[in-house]
Short mmCIF file of all heavy atoms in Angstrom, two decimals:
data_model
loop_
_atom_site.label_atom_id
_atom_site.label_comp_id
_atom_site.label_asym_id
_atom_site.label_seq_id
_atom_site.Cartn_x
_atom_site.Cartn_y
_atom_site.Cartn_z
N MET A 1028 15.94 -79.64 -23.88
CA MET A 1028 16.09 -78.16 -23.60
C MET A 1028 16.99 -77.83 -22.47
O MET A 1028 17.09 -78.56 -21.47
CB MET A 1028 14.63 -77.48 -23.34
CG MET A 1028 14.63 -76.00 -23.41
SD MET A 1028 13.12 -75.35 -22.85
CE MET A 1028 12.19 -75.31 -24.41
N LYS A 1029 17.77 -76.79 -22.63
CA LYS A 1029 18.75 -76.31 -21.64
C LYS A 1029 18.08 -75.81 -20.36
O LYS A 1029 17.07 -75.25 -20.42
CB LYS A 1029 19.68 -75.35 -22.26
CG LYS A 1029 20.71 -74.89 -21.22
CD LYS A 1029 21.61 -73.82 -21.91
CE LYS A 1029 22.41 -72.98 -20.99
NZ LYS A 1029 23.30 -73.84 -20.19
N ASP A 1030 18.69 -76.23 -19.22
CA ASP A 1030 18.17 -75.67 -17.97
C ASP A 1030 18.98 -74.27 -17.73
O ASP A 1030 20.18 -74.31 -17.60
CB ASP A 1030 18.56 -76.65 -16.80
CG ASP A 1030 17.43 -77.65 -16.56
OD1 ASP A 1030 16.33 -77.34 -17.03
OD2 ASP A 1030 17.80 -78.72 -16.17
N PHE A 1031 18.18 -73.24 -17.56
CA PHE A 1031 18.87 -71.99 -17.28
C PHE A 1031 18.93 -71.75 -15.77
O PHE A 1031 18.32 -72.50 -14.94
CB PHE A 1031 18.07 -70.91 -17.91
CG PHE A 1031 18.28 -70.87 -19.42
CD1 PHE A 1031 17.28 -71.43 -20.26
CD2 PHE A 1031 19.37 -70.41 -20.02
CE1 PHE A 1031 17.41 -71.50 -21.62
CE2 PHE A 1031 19.58 -70.38 -21.45
CZ PHE A 1031 18.51 -70.99 -22.22
N CYS A 1032 19.82 -70.77 -15.34
CA CYS A 1032 20.16 -70.60 -13.96
C CYS A 1032 18.90 -70.12 -13.12
O CYS A 1032 18.82 -70.42 -11.97
CB CYS A 1032 21.30 -69.56 -13.86
SG CYS A 1032 20.85 -68.00 -14.77
N CYS A 1033 17.97 -69.46 -13.75
CA CYS A 1033 16.88 -69.01 -12.98
C CYS A 1033 15.66 -68.71 -13.81
O CYS A 1033 15.84 -68.84 -15.07
CB CYS A 1033 17.13 -67.71 -12.18
SG CYS A 1033 17.61 -66.30 -13.35
N GLU A 1034 14.45 -68.56 -13.22
CA GLU A 1034 13.30 -68.43 -14.10
C GLU A 1034 13.41 -67.24 -15.02
O GLU A 1034 12.77 -67.22 -16.19
CB GLU A 1034 11.98 -68.40 -13.22
CG GLU A 1034 12.00 -67.30 -12.22
CD GLU A 1034 10.73 -67.27 -11.41
OE1 GLU A 1034 9.57 -67.26 -11.94
OE2 GLU A 1034 10.88 -67.48 -10.14
N TYR A 1035 14.04 -66.08 -14.61
CA TYR A 1035 14.04 -64.97 -15.47
C TYR A 1035 14.86 -65.25 -16.70
O TYR A 1035 14.52 -64.87 -17.76
CB TYR A 1035 14.73 -63.82 -14.62
CG TYR A 1035 13.94 -63.47 -13.48
CD1 TYR A 1035 14.36 -63.88 -12.13
CD2 TYR A 1035 12.76 -62.76 -13.61
CE1 TYR A 1035 13.70 -63.55 -11.01
CE2 TYR A 1035 12.03 -62.39 -12.51
CZ TYR A 1035 12.47 -62.80 -11.22
OH TYR A 1035 11.72 -62.42 -10.02
N MET A 1036 16.02 -65.90 -16.48
CA MET A 1036 16.85 -66.18 -17.70
C MET A 1036 16.20 -67.19 -18.54
O MET A 1036 16.15 -67.14 -19.81
CB MET A 1036 18.23 -66.72 -17.27
CG MET A 1036 19.14 -67.05 -18.34
SD MET A 1036 19.42 -65.65 -19.50
CE MET A 1036 20.77 -64.80 -18.63
N ASP A 1037 15.51 -68.21 -17.91
CA ASP A 1037 14.72 -69.20 -18.71
C ASP A 1037 13.69 -68.45 -19.62
O ASP A 1037 13.54 -68.71 -20.78
CB ASP A 1037 14.04 -70.12 -17.70
CG ASP A 1037 13.34 -71.24 -18.45
OD1 ASP A 1037 13.96 -71.94 -19.16
OD2 ASP A 1037 12.14 -71.39 -18.24
N TYR A 1038 12.91 -67.49 -18.96
CA TYR A 1038 11.97 -66.82 -19.70
C TYR A 1038 12.59 -65.99 -20.85
O TYR A 1038 12.16 -65.95 -22.07
CB TYR A 1038 11.19 -65.91 -18.80
CG TYR A 1038 10.26 -64.91 -19.50
CD1 TYR A 1038 8.99 -65.27 -19.93
CD2 TYR A 1038 10.68 -63.59 -19.81
CE1 TYR A 1038 8.12 -64.41 -20.65
CE2 TYR A 1038 9.84 -62.79 -20.45
CZ TYR A 1038 8.54 -63.13 -20.92
OH TYR A 1038 7.76 -62.35 -21.56
N HIS A 1039 13.62 -65.21 -20.58
CA HIS A 1039 14.12 -64.31 -21.58
C HIS A 1039 14.97 -64.99 -22.69
O HIS A 1039 14.98 -64.54 -23.88
CB HIS A 1039 14.97 -63.23 -20.87
CG HIS A 1039 14.25 -62.25 -20.19
ND1 HIS A 1039 13.53 -61.20 -20.77
CD2 HIS A 1039 14.03 -62.13 -18.86
CE1 HIS A 1039 12.88 -60.49 -19.91
NE2 HIS A 1039 13.18 -61.01 -18.68
N ALA A 1040 15.72 -66.06 -22.27
CA ALA A 1040 16.42 -66.84 -23.26
C ALA A 1040 15.52 -67.59 -24.24
O ALA A 1040 15.97 -67.74 -25.34
CB ALA A 1040 17.41 -67.77 -22.54
N ASN A 1041 14.36 -67.97 -23.67
CA ASN A 1041 13.44 -68.75 -24.50
C ASN A 1041 12.38 -67.86 -25.21
O ASN A 1041 11.56 -68.28 -25.96
CB ASN A 1041 12.75 -69.77 -23.71
CG ASN A 1041 13.71 -70.83 -23.37
OD1 ASN A 1041 14.41 -71.42 -24.22
ND2 ASN A 1041 13.73 -71.22 -22.09
N PHE A 1042 12.39 -66.60 -24.84
CA PHE A 1042 11.38 -65.62 -25.41
C PHE A 1042 11.35 -65.60 -26.84
O PHE A 1042 12.40 -65.37 -27.53
CB PHE A 1042 11.58 -64.22 -24.81
CG PHE A 1042 10.54 -63.26 -25.20
CD1 PHE A 1042 9.38 -63.18 -24.66
CD2 PHE A 1042 10.87 -62.37 -26.39
CE1 PHE A 1042 8.40 -62.17 -25.15
CE2 PHE A 1042 9.94 -61.45 -26.81
CZ PHE A 1042 8.73 -61.38 -26.16
N LYS A 1043 10.20 -65.74 -27.40
CA LYS A 1043 10.03 -65.70 -28.87
C LYS A 1043 8.88 -64.72 -29.19
O LYS A 1043 7.79 -64.96 -28.76
CB LYS A 1043 9.81 -67.06 -29.58
CG LYS A 1043 11.09 -67.74 -29.82
CD LYS A 1043 10.95 -68.76 -30.95
CE LYS A 1043 12.20 -69.42 -31.39
NZ LYS A 1043 12.83 -70.16 -30.27
N CYS A 1044 9.17 -63.76 -30.01
CA CYS A 1044 8.09 -62.82 -30.34
C CYS A 1044 7.33 -63.22 -31.56
O CYS A 1044 7.87 -63.86 -32.49
CB CYS A 1044 8.78 -61.48 -30.58
SG CYS A 1044 7.64 -60.19 -30.99
N ASP A 1045 5.96 -63.06 -31.49
CA ASP A 1045 5.23 -63.42 -32.64
C ASP A 1045 5.30 -62.38 -33.81
O ASP A 1045 5.00 -62.69 -34.94
CB ASP A 1045 3.73 -63.44 -32.22
CG ASP A 1045 3.41 -64.52 -31.18
OD1 ASP A 1045 4.19 -65.54 -31.21
OD2 ASP A 1045 2.52 -64.38 -30.39
N ILE A 1046 5.72 -61.22 -33.43
CA ILE A 1046 5.77 -60.15 -34.44
C ILE A 1046 7.08 -60.06 -35.15
O ILE A 1046 7.18 -59.85 -36.37
CB ILE A 1046 5.44 -58.79 -33.82
CG1 ILE A 1046 4.02 -58.81 -33.07
CG2 ILE A 1046 5.44 -57.65 -34.92
CD1 ILE A 1046 3.85 -57.72 -32.10
N HIS A 1047 8.14 -60.15 -34.37
CA HIS A 1047 9.51 -59.85 -34.96
C HIS A 1047 10.17 -61.19 -35.16
O HIS A 1047 10.50 -61.83 -34.12
CB HIS A 1047 10.28 -59.03 -34.07
CG HIS A 1047 9.70 -57.66 -33.75
ND1 HIS A 1047 8.98 -57.46 -32.58
CD2 HIS A 1047 9.62 -56.52 -34.39
CE1 HIS A 1047 8.51 -56.29 -32.54
NE2 HIS A 1047 8.85 -55.61 -33.68
N GLU A 1048 10.42 -61.58 -36.38
CA GLU A 1048 11.13 -62.84 -36.61
C GLU A 1048 12.61 -62.78 -36.21
O GLU A 1048 13.14 -63.70 -35.70
CB GLU A 1048 11.07 -63.15 -38.13
CG GLU A 1048 10.62 -64.62 -38.44
CD GLU A 1048 10.34 -64.81 -39.84
OE1 GLU A 1048 9.22 -64.45 -40.25
OE2 GLU A 1048 11.29 -65.20 -40.52
N ASN A 1049 13.19 -61.65 -36.53
CA ASN A 1049 14.57 -61.37 -36.18
C ASN A 1049 14.61 -60.81 -34.66
O ASN A 1049 14.01 -59.86 -34.39
CB ASN A 1049 15.14 -60.39 -37.13
CG ASN A 1049 16.61 -60.10 -36.83
OD1 ASN A 1049 17.12 -60.41 -35.77
ND2 ASN A 1049 17.31 -59.42 -37.79
N PRO A 1050 15.30 -61.56 -33.80
CA PRO A 1050 15.28 -61.17 -32.39
C PRO A 1050 15.87 -59.71 -32.21
O PRO A 1050 15.56 -59.04 -31.22
CB PRO A 1050 16.23 -62.18 -31.67
CG PRO A 1050 16.83 -63.00 -32.79
CD PRO A 1050 16.03 -62.90 -34.01
N TYR A 1051 16.75 -59.32 -33.12
CA TYR A 1051 17.43 -58.03 -33.04
C TYR A 1051 16.50 -56.90 -33.35
O TYR A 1051 16.70 -55.76 -32.96
CB TYR A 1051 18.65 -57.92 -33.94
CG TYR A 1051 19.79 -58.82 -33.51
CD1 TYR A 1051 19.94 -60.09 -34.05
CD2 TYR A 1051 20.58 -58.54 -32.44
CE1 TYR A 1051 20.96 -61.00 -33.70
CE2 TYR A 1051 21.64 -59.45 -31.99
CZ TYR A 1051 21.77 -60.64 -32.59
OH TYR A 1051 22.69 -61.54 -32.28
N ASP A 1052 15.36 -57.25 -33.92
CA ASP A 1052 14.30 -56.25 -34.31
C ASP A 1052 13.41 -56.06 -33.17
O ASP A 1052 12.48 -55.10 -33.20
CB ASP A 1052 13.53 -56.66 -35.58
CG ASP A 1052 14.36 -56.50 -36.76
OD1 ASP A 1052 15.39 -55.80 -36.79
OD2 ASP A 1052 14.06 -57.15 -37.82
N CYS A 1053 13.26 -56.95 -32.18
CA CYS A 1053 12.26 -56.91 -31.20
C CYS A 1053 12.65 -56.21 -29.97
O CYS A 1053 13.65 -56.64 -29.22
CB CYS A 1053 11.90 -58.33 -30.87
SG CYS A 1053 10.48 -58.38 -29.64
N PRO A 1054 12.02 -55.19 -29.54
CA PRO A 1054 12.40 -54.45 -28.31
C PRO A 1054 12.16 -55.29 -27.03
O PRO A 1054 12.72 -54.94 -25.98
CB PRO A 1054 11.59 -53.18 -28.45
CG PRO A 1054 10.46 -53.40 -29.25
CD PRO A 1054 10.91 -54.48 -30.19
N ASP A 1055 11.34 -56.36 -27.17
CA ASP A 1055 11.07 -57.12 -25.98
C ASP A 1055 12.01 -58.25 -25.70
O ASP A 1055 12.15 -58.86 -24.71
CB ASP A 1055 9.70 -57.74 -26.08
CG ASP A 1055 8.46 -56.73 -26.04
OD1 ASP A 1055 8.66 -55.66 -25.38
OD2 ASP A 1055 7.60 -56.92 -26.74
N LYS A 1056 12.87 -58.45 -26.78
CA LYS A 1056 13.81 -59.55 -26.71
C LYS A 1056 15.20 -58.96 -26.21
O LYS A 1056 15.76 -58.17 -26.99
CB LYS A 1056 14.00 -60.18 -28.07
CG LYS A 1056 15.10 -61.20 -28.22
CD LYS A 1056 14.65 -62.56 -27.60
CE LYS A 1056 15.72 -63.63 -27.81
NZ LYS A 1056 15.39 -64.85 -26.94
N ILE A 1057 15.65 -59.25 -25.10
CA ILE A 1057 16.76 -58.61 -24.45
C ILE A 1057 18.01 -59.63 -24.41
O ILE A 1057 19.05 -59.18 -24.36
CB ILE A 1057 16.61 -57.86 -23.16
CG1 ILE A 1057 15.91 -58.79 -22.19
CG2 ILE A 1057 15.62 -56.62 -23.39
CD1 ILE A 1057 15.75 -58.22 -20.74
N ILE A 1058 17.64 -60.90 -24.18
CA ILE A 1058 18.76 -61.80 -24.04
C ILE A 1058 18.80 -62.75 -25.15
O ILE A 1058 17.79 -63.19 -25.70
CB ILE A 1058 18.52 -62.67 -22.73
CG1 ILE A 1058 18.60 -61.79 -21.47
CG2 ILE A 1058 19.53 -63.81 -22.67
CD1 ILE A 1058 20.05 -61.31 -21.08
N ILE A 1059 20.04 -62.92 -25.74
CA ILE A 1059 20.18 -63.90 -26.78
C ILE A 1059 21.18 -64.91 -26.25
O ILE A 1059 22.21 -64.69 -25.53
CB ILE A 1059 20.74 -63.19 -28.10
CG1 ILE A 1059 20.62 -64.15 -29.24
CG2 ILE A 1059 22.12 -62.64 -27.91
CD1 ILE A 1059 19.93 -63.40 -30.42
N PHE A 1060 20.87 -66.25 -26.49
CA PHE A 1060 21.62 -67.31 -26.04
C PHE A 1060 22.07 -68.13 -27.25
O PHE A 1060 21.17 -68.50 -28.05
CB PHE A 1060 20.79 -68.25 -25.06
CG PHE A 1060 21.54 -69.43 -24.67
CD1 PHE A 1060 22.73 -69.34 -24.05
CD2 PHE A 1060 21.01 -70.75 -25.06
CE1 PHE A 1060 23.44 -70.56 -23.74
CE2 PHE A 1060 21.71 -71.86 -24.73
CZ PHE A 1060 23.00 -71.72 -24.06
N ASP A 1061 23.28 -68.31 -27.49
CA ASP A 1061 23.81 -69.05 -28.51
C ASP A 1061 24.15 -70.46 -28.11
O ASP A 1061 25.03 -70.67 -27.32
CB ASP A 1061 25.18 -68.38 -29.10
CG ASP A 1061 25.67 -69.02 -30.34
OD1 ASP A 1061 25.34 -70.18 -30.52
OD2 ASP A 1061 26.35 -68.32 -31.07
N GLU A 1062 23.36 -71.35 -28.55
CA GLU A 1062 23.53 -72.81 -28.11
C GLU A 1062 24.78 -73.35 -28.55
O GLU A 1062 25.30 -74.29 -27.87
CB GLU A 1062 22.33 -73.61 -28.55
CG GLU A 1062 21.07 -73.51 -27.78
CD GLU A 1062 19.96 -74.31 -28.27
OE1 GLU A 1062 20.11 -75.41 -28.51
OE2 GLU A 1062 18.88 -73.75 -28.53
N LYS A 1063 25.29 -73.00 -29.76
CA LYS A 1063 26.47 -73.62 -30.30
C LYS A 1063 27.73 -73.24 -29.48
O LYS A 1063 28.47 -74.02 -29.10
CB LYS A 1063 26.66 -73.11 -31.67
CG LYS A 1063 25.74 -73.73 -32.67
CD LYS A 1063 26.25 -73.60 -34.17
CE LYS A 1063 25.00 -73.60 -35.05
NZ LYS A 1063 24.46 -72.29 -35.33
N SER A 1064 27.80 -71.96 -29.12
CA SER A 1064 28.97 -71.51 -28.39
C SER A 1064 28.75 -71.37 -26.87
O SER A 1064 29.58 -71.17 -26.04
CB SER A 1064 29.49 -70.09 -28.85
OG SER A 1064 28.44 -69.16 -28.78
N ASN A 1065 27.46 -71.58 -26.51
CA ASN A 1065 27.10 -71.58 -25.11
C ASN A 1065 27.28 -70.21 -24.45
O ASN A 1065 27.67 -70.01 -23.29
CB ASN A 1065 27.83 -72.65 -24.30
CG ASN A 1065 26.92 -73.21 -23.17
OD1 ASN A 1065 25.69 -73.41 -23.31
ND2 ASN A 1065 27.49 -73.38 -21.98
N GLU A 1066 27.13 -69.18 -25.37
CA GLU A 1066 27.34 -67.78 -24.85
C GLU A 1066 26.02 -66.98 -24.72
O GLU A 1066 25.04 -67.22 -25.44
CB GLU A 1066 28.22 -67.06 -25.90
CG GLU A 1066 29.64 -67.47 -25.68
CD GLU A 1066 30.60 -66.88 -26.78
OE1 GLU A 1066 30.01 -66.21 -27.74
OE2 GLU A 1066 31.74 -67.15 -26.80
N TYR A 1067 26.00 -66.15 -23.79
CA TYR A 1067 24.92 -65.26 -23.41
C TYR A 1067 25.25 -63.84 -23.82
O TYR A 1067 26.30 -63.40 -23.58
CB TYR A 1067 24.60 -65.29 -22.00
CG TYR A 1067 24.07 -66.62 -21.45
CD1 TYR A 1067 24.99 -67.60 -21.23
CD2 TYR A 1067 22.66 -66.87 -21.24
CE1 TYR A 1067 24.57 -68.87 -20.67
CE2 TYR A 1067 22.26 -68.10 -20.73
CZ TYR A 1067 23.28 -69.13 -20.49
OH TYR A 1067 22.87 -70.28 -20.00
N GLY A 1068 24.32 -63.11 -24.32
CA GLY A 1068 24.40 -61.75 -24.68
C GLY A 1068 23.28 -60.97 -24.39
O GLY A 1068 22.15 -61.45 -24.41
N ILE A 1069 23.44 -59.64 -24.23
CA ILE A 1069 22.38 -58.69 -24.11
C ILE A 1069 22.28 -57.93 -25.48
O ILE A 1069 23.29 -57.46 -25.97
CB ILE A 1069 22.58 -57.69 -22.96
CG1 ILE A 1069 22.54 -58.41 -21.63
CG2 ILE A 1069 21.62 -56.56 -22.99
CD1 ILE A 1069 22.80 -57.56 -20.47
N ILE A 1070 21.19 -57.93 -26.07
CA ILE A 1070 20.93 -57.28 -27.34
C ILE A 1070 21.01 -55.70 -27.21
O ILE A 1070 20.18 -55.21 -26.32
CB ILE A 1070 19.60 -57.76 -28.00
CG1 ILE A 1070 19.77 -59.26 -28.32
CG2 ILE A 1070 19.33 -56.94 -29.23
CD1 ILE A 1070 18.45 -59.79 -28.97
N ILE A 1071 21.72 -55.12 -28.08
CA ILE A 1071 21.63 -53.64 -28.03
C ILE A 1071 20.81 -53.26 -29.20
O ILE A 1071 21.09 -53.55 -30.33
CB ILE A 1071 23.11 -53.07 -28.32
CG1 ILE A 1071 24.21 -53.74 -27.47
CG2 ILE A 1071 23.10 -51.62 -28.20
CD1 ILE A 1071 23.94 -53.53 -26.03
N HIS A 1072 19.72 -52.59 -28.88
CA HIS A 1072 18.78 -52.24 -29.91
C HIS A 1072 19.16 -50.98 -30.66
O HIS A 1072 18.58 -49.87 -30.36
CB HIS A 1072 17.36 -52.15 -29.39
CG HIS A 1072 16.85 -53.58 -29.02
ND1 HIS A 1072 16.52 -54.48 -29.87
CD2 HIS A 1072 16.62 -54.18 -27.81
CE1 HIS A 1072 16.10 -55.56 -29.30
NE2 HIS A 1072 16.19 -55.40 -28.00
N ASP A 1073 20.12 -51.03 -31.53
CA ASP A 1073 20.68 -49.87 -32.21
C ASP A 1073 20.30 -50.00 -33.71
O ASP A 1073 20.88 -49.24 -34.50
CB ASP A 1073 22.12 -49.79 -32.08
CG ASP A 1073 22.91 -50.88 -32.53
OD1 ASP A 1073 22.29 -51.88 -33.08
OD2 ASP A 1073 24.17 -50.83 -32.47
N GLY A 1074 19.37 -50.90 -34.02
CA GLY A 1074 18.94 -51.06 -35.44
C GLY A 1074 19.86 -52.12 -36.25
O GLY A 1074 19.50 -52.46 -37.28
N GLY A 1075 20.97 -52.49 -35.57
CA GLY A 1075 21.82 -53.44 -36.16
C GLY A 1075 21.69 -54.86 -35.45
O GLY A 1075 20.59 -55.10 -34.87
N SER A 1076 22.75 -55.51 -35.38
CA SER A 1076 22.70 -56.80 -34.63
C SER A 1076 23.78 -56.86 -33.58
O SER A 1076 24.65 -57.72 -33.55
CB SER A 1076 22.76 -57.97 -35.58
OG SER A 1076 23.85 -57.89 -36.49
N SER A 1077 23.84 -55.78 -32.76
CA SER A 1077 24.92 -55.66 -31.77
C SER A 1077 24.46 -56.39 -30.52
O SER A 1077 23.31 -56.44 -30.14
CB SER A 1077 25.17 -54.22 -31.39
OG SER A 1077 25.33 -53.44 -32.56
N GLN A 1078 25.35 -56.91 -29.74
CA GLN A 1078 25.19 -57.49 -28.53
C GLN A 1078 26.33 -57.43 -27.67
O GLN A 1078 27.44 -57.28 -28.18
CB GLN A 1078 24.71 -59.01 -28.62
CG GLN A 1078 25.75 -59.89 -29.12
CD GLN A 1078 25.22 -61.25 -29.38
OE1 GLN A 1078 24.42 -61.47 -30.30
NE2 GLN A 1078 25.68 -62.27 -28.64
N ILE A 1079 26.09 -57.45 -26.32
CA ILE A 1079 27.18 -57.41 -25.41
C ILE A 1079 27.22 -58.81 -24.68
O ILE A 1079 26.20 -59.26 -24.22
CB ILE A 1079 27.02 -56.32 -24.33
CG1 ILE A 1079 27.07 -54.96 -24.93
CG2 ILE A 1079 28.09 -56.51 -23.17
CD1 ILE A 1079 26.84 -53.82 -23.93
N GLU A 1080 28.37 -59.45 -24.74
CA GLU A 1080 28.47 -60.74 -24.15
C GLU A 1080 28.39 -60.59 -22.65
O GLU A 1080 29.15 -59.68 -22.09
CB GLU A 1080 29.75 -61.54 -24.63
CG GLU A 1080 29.72 -62.89 -24.30
CD GLU A 1080 31.08 -63.58 -24.57
OE1 GLU A 1080 31.85 -63.09 -25.42
OE2 GLU A 1080 31.43 -64.49 -23.77
N ILE A 1081 27.73 -61.44 -21.95
CA ILE A 1081 27.69 -61.42 -20.47
C ILE A 1081 28.15 -62.66 -19.96
O ILE A 1081 27.93 -63.77 -20.45
CB ILE A 1081 26.27 -61.01 -19.94
CG1 ILE A 1081 25.22 -61.94 -20.51
CG2 ILE A 1081 25.96 -59.54 -20.25
CD1 ILE A 1081 23.87 -61.73 -19.83
N ASN A 1082 28.92 -62.66 -18.81
CA ASN A 1082 29.39 -63.87 -18.25
C ASN A 1082 28.65 -64.15 -16.93
O ASN A 1082 28.97 -65.15 -16.28
CB ASN A 1082 30.94 -63.64 -17.86
CG ASN A 1082 31.69 -63.42 -19.23
OD1 ASN A 1082 31.53 -64.24 -20.11
ND2 ASN A 1082 32.48 -62.47 -19.33
N PHE A 1083 27.83 -63.25 -16.53
CA PHE A 1083 27.01 -63.55 -15.30
C PHE A 1083 25.59 -63.13 -15.55
O PHE A 1083 25.27 -62.30 -16.40
CB PHE A 1083 27.51 -62.59 -14.14
CG PHE A 1083 28.89 -62.87 -13.62
CD1 PHE A 1083 29.95 -62.28 -14.16
CD2 PHE A 1083 29.05 -63.88 -12.60
CE1 PHE A 1083 31.30 -62.58 -13.78
CE2 PHE A 1083 30.39 -64.22 -12.15
CZ PHE A 1083 31.50 -63.56 -12.72
N CYS A 1084 24.64 -63.88 -14.93
CA CYS A 1084 23.32 -63.62 -15.05
C CYS A 1084 22.99 -62.26 -14.39
O CYS A 1084 23.24 -62.08 -13.27
CB CYS A 1084 22.49 -64.77 -14.39
SG CYS A 1084 20.72 -64.40 -14.40
N PRO A 1085 22.28 -61.36 -15.07
CA PRO A 1085 21.89 -60.10 -14.54
C PRO A 1085 20.86 -60.25 -13.40
O PRO A 1085 20.66 -59.24 -12.64
CB PRO A 1085 21.41 -59.25 -15.66
CG PRO A 1085 21.19 -60.23 -16.79
CD PRO A 1085 21.88 -61.50 -16.56
N TRP A 1086 20.14 -61.33 -13.40
CA TRP A 1086 19.08 -61.50 -12.32
C TRP A 1086 19.63 -62.13 -11.16
O TRP A 1086 19.45 -61.65 -10.02
CB TRP A 1086 17.95 -62.22 -12.95
CG TRP A 1086 17.22 -61.38 -14.03
CD1 TRP A 1086 16.35 -60.32 -13.76
CD2 TRP A 1086 17.36 -61.47 -15.36
NE1 TRP A 1086 16.00 -59.85 -14.91
CE2 TRP A 1086 16.52 -60.46 -15.92
CE3 TRP A 1086 18.02 -62.33 -16.16
CZ2 TRP A 1086 16.44 -60.27 -17.42
CZ3 TRP A 1086 17.93 -62.12 -17.58
CH2 TRP A 1086 17.18 -61.12 -18.13
N CYS A 1087 20.30 -63.30 -11.33
CA CYS A 1087 20.63 -64.08 -10.09
C CYS A 1087 22.10 -64.08 -9.83
O CYS A 1087 22.50 -64.56 -8.87
CB CYS A 1087 20.07 -65.56 -10.25
SG CYS A 1087 20.99 -66.63 -11.26
N GLY A 1088 22.86 -63.61 -10.81
CA GLY A 1088 24.32 -63.53 -10.62
C GLY A 1088 25.06 -64.74 -10.83
O GLY A 1088 26.23 -64.83 -10.62
N ALA A 1089 24.43 -65.82 -11.39
CA ALA A 1089 25.11 -67.08 -11.66
C ALA A 1089 26.21 -66.79 -12.76
O ALA A 1089 26.01 -66.15 -13.73
CB ALA A 1089 24.12 -68.11 -12.14
N LYS A 1090 27.38 -67.54 -12.64
CA LYS A 1090 28.29 -67.49 -13.59
C LYS A 1090 28.06 -68.48 -14.73
O LYS A 1090 27.67 -69.57 -14.46
CB LYS A 1090 29.71 -67.75 -12.99
CG LYS A 1090 30.85 -67.38 -13.91
CD LYS A 1090 32.20 -67.62 -13.19
CE LYS A 1090 33.37 -66.98 -13.95
NZ LYS A 1090 33.37 -67.12 -15.35
N PHE A 1091 28.27 -67.99 -15.94
CA PHE A 1091 28.02 -68.90 -17.16
C PHE A 1091 29.25 -69.67 -17.47
O PHE A 1091 30.24 -69.19 -17.42
CB PHE A 1091 27.54 -68.15 -18.29
CG PHE A 1091 26.20 -67.39 -18.04
CD1 PHE A 1091 26.11 -66.05 -18.50
CD2 PHE A 1091 25.18 -67.93 -17.41
CE1 PHE A 1091 24.92 -65.36 -18.19
CE2 PHE A 1091 24.02 -67.24 -17.05
CZ PHE A 1091 23.86 -65.96 -17.53
ZN1 ZN B 263 19.94 -66.41 -13.53
ZN1 ZN B 264 8.78 -58.28 -30.87
#
């Protein structure tokens, strides 16, 4: 398993909801981490599958 920059990112990147199979459907899921491209994104809950790519951790400021 990947080591994330801080416990907050670790929690949110690994967060899995029991109710919503699709992370884009879950209002509690805010960070999406793509292991293949090693990219982080913030999910925009607009009913689709939008996300904003982020280059810094919003909690600790670490650069990805
Ligand atoms: Zn962090
Ligand atoms: Zn959910």
Side-chain angles (χ1 to χ4, degrees):
M1028 192 187 272
K1029 181 180 163 58
D1030 274 333
F1031 290 100
C1032 52
C1033 59
E1034 59 182 296
Y1035 299 103
M1036 183 54 86
D1037 186 57
Y1038 171 81
H1039 288 284
N1041 289 312
F1042 179 82
K1043 274 208 173 64
C1044 180
D1045 294 335
I1046 303 161
H1047 307 97
E1048 227 173 275
N1049 182 343
Y1051 294 99
D1052 289 339
C1053 182
D1055 294 326
K1056 176 77 178 168
I1057 53 173
I1058 295 288
I1059 194 130
F1060 173 64
D1061 187 333
E1062 277 179 54
K1063 286 193 207 96
S1064 57
N1065 214 38
E1066 281 173 357
Y1067 295 77
I1069 293 179
I1070 293 179
I1071 313 297
H1072 290 290
D1073 61 357
S1076 55
S1077 312
Q1078 67 188 66
I1079 295 176
E1080 197 192 326
I1081 51 172
N1082 297 310
F1083 293 91
C1084 174
W1086 291 282
C1087 75
K1090 194 175 192 316
F1091 300 137

